């Protein structure tokens, strides 16, 4: 029941094949499970005649409660989507709780649009321009280390941008379907992969300690990331990207050995010490 409810809420549709593949059960058993869910929540789903799949209705209300962190992990990593009860730690532990939490209904609408290939009309609060309505074509959700955002085509600015999920409100399916040029595979910054070579900051007195911290091989940690996310990665790990690595080694344990790799990377403006080439 939770799996059916989850797929309807966050992916917008569920089929017998989905349930059979997830649990290794026969089609007849999956049919009974769907029938049971329909008895529990008859207004949550409708049959789509062409595909013979069940789709989310406009009046959908989730049957189960979902922990935001688990939903985000399930959507981004593909597991854990059916776990509802909190898991007790096996040993004494602690973690830093996120202080930027997207609204669950906003997240579910965005994730459905991504899964089904819809455009969205959203209200958005921008630092620069304030509040306005925009039409976007969402392509992927991203954890940038501080906040979750959605990578999307912005029809107002005719380009791909990042929209912080906590700044989105009242998303609605747009009547204008996506065009080919608005899809994620047309986003040059998303499809481009960038190789980052991270080294201990030259100002560190004990570089071998930093090498151990980050499991470096021959003094280098090599990462391959999307250009759209490279700046977030470098900011998250506080990597000195300045020419000559002039930032303080006390504050920046790592440095970028190959700064030319950031040429043409628009997100590089977020990287510590980065200055665009003249």
């Amino acid at each position: 029941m939770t799996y059916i409810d989850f797929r309807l809420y966050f992916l917008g549709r569920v089929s017998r094949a989905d349930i059979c593949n997830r649990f290794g059960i026969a089609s007849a058993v999956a049919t009974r499970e769907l029938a049971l869910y329909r008895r529990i929540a008859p207004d949550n789903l409708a049959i789509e005649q062409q595909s013979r799949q069940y789709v989310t209705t406009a009046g959908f209300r989730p049957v189960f409660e979902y922990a935001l962190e688990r939903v985000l992990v399930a959507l981004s990593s593909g597991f854990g989507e059916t776990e509802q009860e909190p898991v007790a730690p096996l040993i004494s532990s602690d973690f830093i709780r996120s202080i930027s939490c997207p609204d669950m209904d906003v997240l579910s609408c965005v994730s459905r649009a991504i899964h089904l290939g819809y455009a969205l009309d959203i209200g958005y609060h921008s630092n620069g321009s304030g509040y306005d309505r925009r039409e976007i074509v969402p392509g992927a959700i991203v954890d940038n280390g501080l906040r979750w955002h959605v990578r999307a085509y912005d029809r107002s600015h005719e380009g791909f941008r990042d929209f912080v999920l906590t700044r989105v409100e009242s998303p609605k399916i747009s009547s204008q379907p996506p065009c080919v040029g608005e899809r994620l595979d047309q986003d040059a910054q998303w499809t481009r992969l960038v190789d980052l070579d991270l080294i201990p900051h030259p100002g560190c007195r004990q570089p071998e300690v930093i090498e151990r911290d980050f499991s470096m091989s021959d003094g280098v940690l090599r990462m391959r990331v999307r250009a759209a996310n490279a700046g977030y990665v470098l900011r998250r790990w506080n990597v000195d990207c300045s020419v000559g690595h002039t930032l303080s080694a006390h504050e920046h344990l790592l440095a970028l050995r190959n700064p030319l790799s950031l040429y043409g990377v628009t997100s590089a403006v977020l990287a510590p010490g980065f200055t665009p080439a003249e």
Side-chain angles (χ1 to χ4, degrees):
M1 293 299 99
T2 308
Y3 181 73
I4 294 171
D5 193 62
F6 181 93
R7 286 194 65 94
L8 288 169
Y9 193 14
F10 295 100
L11 299 182
R13 64 177 62 228
V14 67
S15 67
R16 281 189 294 269
D18 293 327
I19 302 170
C20 292
N21 293 336
R22 174 65 177 81
F23 297 101
I25 58 177
S27 180
V29 179
T31 300
R32 290 199 298 269
E33 296 300 320
L34 283 164
L36 175 58
Y37 184 87
R38 292 192 74 180
R39 290 198 295 272
I40 295 172
D43 297 329
N44 275 5
L45 70 169
I47 188 72
E48 186 179 64
Q49 294 299 332
Q50 184 175 2
S51 66
R52 304 303 298 171
Q53 295 186 5
Y54 290 92
V55 297
T56 306
T57 62
F60 178 89
R61 293 293 181 271
V63 174
F64 302 97
E65 293 185 1
Y66 297 90
L68 178 63
E69 293 82 1
R70 290 176 179 267
V71 170
L72 291 169
V73 167
L75 290 173
S76 60
S77 302
F79 64 90
E81 68 273 17
T82 61
E83 296 180 5
Q84 294 300 306
E85 298 300 324
V87 178
L90 298 178
I91 60 173
S92 179
S93 59
D94 194 11
F95 66 95
I96 300 173
R97 182 179 63 87
S98 173
I99 59 175
S100 179
C101 300
D103 178 82
M104 192 74 78
D105 288 335
V106 168
L107 173 62
S108 66
C109 188
V110 170
S111 66
R112 285 200 302 270
I114 292 173
H115 186 70
L116 300 175
Y118 292 149
L120 286 177
D121 178 84
I122 65 170
Y124 193 71
H125 297 266
S126 169
N127 267 338
S129 58
Y131 177 83
D132 61 355
R133 299 292 302 185
R134 305 193 191 192
E135 280 199 354
I136 67 171
V137 181
I141 58 171
V142 178
D143 176 9
N144 65 25
L146 295 176
R147 300 174 298 197
W148 286 85
H149 67 252
V150 56
R151 183 72 176 175
Y153 184 86
D154 183 357
R155 287 176 168 170
S156 301
H157 295 87
E158 297 183 342
F160 292 92
R161 297 194 170 195
D162 299 331
F163 293 88
V164 181
L165 284 175
T166 51
R167 300 179 184 178
V168 175
E169 69 175 40
S170 306
K172 298 177 182 177
I173 298 299
S174 171
S175 59
Q176 298 296 325
C179 302
V180 173
E182 299 174 333
R183 299 191 181 279
L184 196 62
D185 60 4
Q186 300 301 305
D187 181 355
Q189 292 291 310
W190 183 265
T191 56
R192 175 185 169 186
L193 297 179
V194 178
D195 291 313
L196 304 176
D197 290 350
L198 308 185
I199 60 174
H201 195 286
C204 287
R205 294 183 178 180
Q206 304 290 338
E208 65 277 5
V209 175
I210 308 305
E211 293 177 21
R212 290 181 62 89
D213 285 345
F214 296 96
S215 302
M216 294 184 177
S217 176
D218 297 324
V220 181
L221 173 61
R222 294 179 173 86
M223 302 180 65
R224 176 167 288 183
V225 301
R226 298 186 185 277
N229 298 331
Y232 295 111
V233 172
L234 294 166
R235 183 179 65 177
R236 180 176 187 176
W237 295 108
N238 214 20
V239 180
D240 182 355
C241 300
S242 64
V243 177
H245 305 135
T246 59
L247 301 183
S248 170
H250 294 290
E251 299 178 12
H252 304 270
L253 299 179
L254 298 170
L256 181 64
R257 186 174 70 171
N258 56 334
L260 288 178
S261 63
L262 298 181
Y263 180 79
V265 175
T266 56
S267 67
V269 295
L270 302 171
F274 172 79
T275 53
E278 295 294 336

